[in-house]
Amino acid sequence: MASSLKDVARYAGVSIKTVSNVVNGYVHVSAVTRAKVQQAIAALNYRPNTAARHLRQGRSGVIALALPELRAPYFAELAGFVVEAADERSLKVLIEQTDGARDRELEITEGVPGHLIDGLILSPLALTEDDLEQRTDRLPMILLGEQITDGAADRVVVDNVAAAEEAVAHLVSLGRRRIAAIGAQDAAPGATARLRLRGYRQALRRAGIAYDPSLVIPVEQFHRHDGALAMQGLLDLAQPPDAVFCFNDLLGLGALRTLLSHGLSVPGDVAVVGFDDIEESQYSTPTLTTVAPDKEEIARTAIDLLIKRFSGDHDALPRSVNPTYRLICRESTLGG
Amino acid sequence: MASSLKDVARYAGVSIKTVSNVVNGYVHVSAVTRAKVQQAIAALNYRPNTAARHLRQGRSGVIALALPELRAPYFAELAGFVVEAADERSLKVLIEQTDGARDRELEITEGVPGHLIDGLILSPLALTEDDLEQRTDRLPMILLGEQITDGAADRVVVDNVAAAEEAVAHLVSLGRRRIAAIGAQDAAPGATARLRLRGYRQALRRAGIAYDPSLVIPVEQFHRHDGALAMQGLLDLAQPPDAVFCFNDLLGLGALRTLLSHGLSVPGDVAVVGFDDIEESQYSTPTLTTVAPDKEEIARTAIDLLIKRFSGDHDALPRSVNPTYRLICRESTLGG
DNA sequence: CGTTCGGTTTACAACGATGTACAAGCTGCT
DNA sequence: AGCAGCTTGTACATCGTTGTAAACCGAACG
């Protein structure tokens, strides 16, 4: 059985409160008493009970991170950074997977965990602005990676339009003219896809290249499989593209796989750009050119915003932070 | 402010305990009272306070999953399954990253989270048997992926020796005779590496192939980078290998990268086998032959074992479960 | 010598939920 | 009518912790 303040108090021959004072570093405790108590704590291997503390103080020291799925490397890497950043602030992270399903996301914003957590970092796929407006829960929440226009919560999100434009501009600068896009999504769960598509079109316009809808391939999910399939479709065209901008790295890696298995050369025949800079993209053959958001900065910023909410400015206006990103050019566009 | 049983009780005009009874589905509550209470609950948007429940019942409904790092795809995928399996049992999962550091692992087995969690699933890298014997914490714990001989805790771990042997036997069956191994580790944190090495040697012995220590390459970590480096070393040998057994997929993918960038053909010149079957291995070029442990089974088993510990047989003898695995043969050994 | 002062320690009441014990109301039996 | 036995509801203590208020003590002061 775990020991409590009561046990320590009895063992040390002092009151419960005194032990509590020692544990919490209260100043006015005599050296003698402090020593006695500390010895008792060591002897009984006492550890404060988080549940009781939580009940008393209304703070659990736990936050939730809700993301579509851990098996997607981008989210896994991001989650790793979040856990790390949280750890530095003595916070624990509880993981929820939404599969990008709207009802799961909704459920989570409405505080499923029942007072279990102090705050929430949510990376939504399907949630709409309206869903958020109707939110009744007062739990501090940070949104990741969705450009839901000024809403009810803090947001940390890269400038998807600018980043996408930069990626496509890179392809243009290499002399590519028939540039495809893989990853379009019409349905509600597609804010990110729409923004990256906008960046793509903007880059084309600036380069004076006509927009060709047949080069924009929609996908169901942002997985390797969808990328491979989409690329297959592009190769079947009468006039295949000479470059592809994929809305994330997994799509890009899937596309790569299809290209190579058709004996095509990358970037010789087709150049490929991704988005996310997952670790895998540094080791694929060829390595993948990609837009790299600073994931560590994203994680750290999200945690900091949450902590700000905890302490005081509970009702400040929602903040929006754009983390830095950069285009990393690798073999899939520059060649080996 | 969140509402409590007290508020609901006042609103419904009944006692606190009656509300509690309704919430907990106690049978002997009249239909009228139940309706009144339920209406009050809805009106006040009442949600039970987890902290209070936890304090009272000694159960939080939260477990911790401690693993080296989420950015390693194997652990990310595994974590995904664990969260999923836990969700089905109404458990929440809190993630801890150890970086495979012994002191972090030790800290965690000693119950850092302070009564915050009901149980622990730990995937140790550095922990030794002795460390575990000295464990004082009574928290139910399940060990993943380490073959620490019958210790103080339940274990879920594939038969590394048999699996490794099967992988190498596959290479032998393809006519390979100069088979290297990448991933040896001498230091304490290397139980897994040692077992896979044993399987490797066993397969060689069975095939009547002499053991050549120069073909066994040690690594610091099981990352792509280490695999790439190790492969480089092998290629620099006077007599390079015609096959490589990598102790995990990341090492294998790193090795692949080195081979291809040297213009070598896989499996033409060198065949490669990995271990873990991470998703990436289905999409690499060439796709990677690998030992695939059933991750979903591992996760489910771990959760089930934990739950068994919660309910009663707190002091049953430690169980050890060997999840199933299978060798999946892909292009890196069979060719395209 | 009584008073005040400050540091040190303690008793008590919360936080929100639930198990125990028991009271009140009802039924049905002798 | 009296009593057992059941249903339905309540009061109270409790889980481990901490904030509040107050008690205690020796020292310093007038």
Side-chain angles (χ1 to χ4, degrees), chain A residues 237-293:
Chain A
L237 289 179
Q239 267 199 305
D242 59 7
V244 196
F245 170 47
C246 299
F247 289 3
N248 82 347
D249 279 4
L250 287 185
L251 291 172
L253 292 163
L256 227 51
R257 168 79 191 148
T258 297
L259 287 166
L260 298 182
S261 74
H262 278 72
L264 292 170
S265 140
V266 177
D269 298 310
V270 182
V272 179
V273 177
F275 202 115
D276 281 352
D277 189 34
I278 62 178
E279 220 178 289
E280 181 177 347
S281 303
Q282 299 169 42
Y283 287 87
S284 57
T285 305
T287 53
L288 186 66
T289 293
T290 188
V291 175

Side-chain angles (χ1 to χ4, degrees), chain A residues 5 17 20 46 48-49 52-53 56:
Chain A
L5 281 185
K17 190 64 217 278
S20 168
Y46 166 78
N49 180 317
R53 258 194 191 163
R56 187 61 236 247

